[in-house]
Amino acid sequence: MRIGWIGTGVMGRSLAGHLLTAGHTLTVYNRSKEKAEVLLQRGAVWGETPASVAENSETVFTMVGLPSDVEEVYLGSVGIFSTAQPGTVAVDMTTSSPALAQRLSLEGTKRGLRLLDAPVTGGDVGAKNATLSIMVGGDSDTFEQMKPLFEKLGKTILLHGPAGAGQHAKMVNQILITGIMLSLCEGLMYARRAGLNLESVLQSVSGGAATSWALQNLMPRILKGDLEPGFYVEHFIKDMGIITAEAERMNLALPGTALVKQLYQAVLACGGAKKGTQALILALEALNGGGELKS
Amino acid sequence: MRIGWIGTGVMGRSLAGHLLTAGHTLTVYNRSKEKAEVLLQRGAVWGETPASVAENSETVFTMVGLPSDVEEVYLGSVGIFSTAQPGTVAVDMTTSSPALAQRLSLEGTKRGLRLLDAPVTGGDVGAKNATLSIMVGGDSDTFEQMKPLFEKLGKTILLHGPAGAGQHAKMVNQILITGIMLSLCEGLMYARRAGLNLESVLQSVSGGAATSWALQNLMPRILKGDLEPGFYVEHFIKDMGIITAEAERMNLALPGTALVKQLYQAVLACGGAKKGTQALILALEALNGGGELKS
């Protein structure tokens, strides 16, 4: 199949690579061309704009940064919609706004295109090993048609409903993470103040009702003073912004998510935008007299 | 060994049973005698008061309800301290206040007794299968002496420091649970409002960075409308009260724990004291127009 891939960051690069491996013809575009180099060396063709990628593809995947980037890539003057032929399938794998996914689907349908939103969870390791969970929104015929391609990219592949539903499911995932990160950092602050050995406490609490992926994977990093991403604070704040906007639209109060968003704003104030989500500890430290992590 | 066991609720009954199986001589006391019946049938001897249990035992275990119950059992007019011989080891496995554990240890030491605080995590199933995590505070000689007995009761057995340190470690465990429960319920509220199929969402988010013991074990119960305990709301509120008091004493701000405590107060207001911790969903529902669980 002639496939287009727009957005060759860490995740996108791995995923597009799986499609090359599967024998598909790939046209790729990325804002900075050097991040597509490894794909070009493997035989992918460079497209100068999203429009030229769409012109040469039956199916276009997008995986970019912010909702505003998604908007530009689809609706911009050299965007996908400016050239895509009727019948083209466009799949947005960016974690983006459900409302935008609905709007793009409406606009695309008017042009005879078929759109899916299909954000993922599972991180760079999941992308590399094709073990991602892919959460899809859109019509079921298009979903079934794309399923063989999704199966090259991930393991758990579910249609969650009409346009936007994939994004909504991803937001549930992000909401779950908010509280886990908060209590992880509060637990750590308490343990330090109480003078406990942190490795021992981690061992005691890891097997029981308090355990989580984050406890097992991110707590050890914090204990080593490692705040590198993983998943960027600035991206997580973007997601919490989307959640907040959607919840407001749905008339839904989420006090925990609101609190955690505020505390991540404080992480930004501490210079933590490019740190990993475990940098929430910086906000808890700032709130409690500061800087124990470095001591 | 002549062992005393005070408090034969669901957890205590299982644990005392393991000591009988191991061949120890057991004297037991419980506020309501019928809950000790199964142990008495297996050869345990009834003690009329904590004092008479202590009188007949080299080692006394306690596992009761509230810190006020612990106080009564140790310091009351027919309490352990009124009869225990110098050299006796007393182990409190109740989840109780670190400050009280320190005070009992001081008082006990004056009388020539040796005290450990040793709360557990792992629930009724862990108690039954002797797979609990036991978090111990006290001196290391007494800990080493008691270790063979602890190994009959649990799997992960760690000394966390002096008197009170076991309770502090348990409080870290409970803090971790606060945020997990909050975001679990907020994620569910969001998913409902967005019109998603909840089982599908659970499946999509279970394998990744948002997963937790609670997601895998309590979320399915909420989806079935099952709010039965597990772990009682009123006991969890007790624990959050202890955390709040200790944090205040340590001059430590824990905004997430404080928020979750408030929301569990709302669960009480909804009549949820005897429900399981997953009943936090009732507070989120009340906050958002009510009653979706029953609809």
Side-chain angles (χ1 to χ4, degrees), chain A residues 133 158 160 168 173 175-176 179 182-183 186-187 190 193 200 204 210-211 213 246 250-257 288, chain B residues 133 158 160 168 173 175-176 179 182-183 186-187 190 193 200 204 210-213 250-257 288:
Chain A
S133 172
L158 287 169
H160 286 287
H168 274 312
N173 189 80
I175 291 170
L176 292 172
L182 178 55
S183 59
E186 292 197 356
Y190 181 101
R193 278 288 167 91
S200 299
S204 278
T211 201
W213 182 93
E246 289 291 325
M250 298 191 287
N251 209 11
L252 180 69
L254 300 175
T257 305
N288 282 292
Chain B
S133 171
L158 288 168
H160 286 288
H168 274 313
N173 190 79
I175 291 170
L176 292 173
L182 178 56
S183 59
E186 292 197 353
Y190 181 101
R193 278 288 167 90
S200 299
S204 278
T211 200
S212 62
W213 182 93
M250 299 191 286
N251 208 10
L252 180 69
L254 299 175
T257 306
N288 282 291

Side-chain angles (χ1 to χ4, degrees), chain A residues 154-237:
Chain A
K155 204 174 60 173
T156 308
I157 297 144
L158 287 169
L159 180 67
H160 286 287
Q167 297 296 350
H168 274 312
K170 176 66 187 274
M171 291 308 139
V172 174
N173 189 80
Q174 303 307 75
I175 291 170
L176 292 172
I177 292 173
T178 60
I180 293 174
M181 291 311 302
L182 178 55
S183 59
L184 191 71
C185 292
E186 292 197 356
L188 177 55
M189 293 300 294
Y190 181 101
R192 280 179 182 165
R193 278 288 167 91
L196 299 175
N197 177 295
L198 304 176
E199 272 82 9
S200 299
V201 174
L202 181 57
Q203 202 182 330
S204 278
V205 303
S206 279
T211 201
S212 62
W213 182 93
L215 184 73
Q216 291 172 10
N217 289 276
L218 299 181
M219 182 70 110
R221 292 195 202 176
I222 302 177
L223 297 189
K224 285 186 293 188
D226 172 10
L227 301 184
E228 293 310 301
F231 185 62
Y232 284 113
V233 164
E234 61 182 5
H235 289 168
F236 194 43
I237 287 183

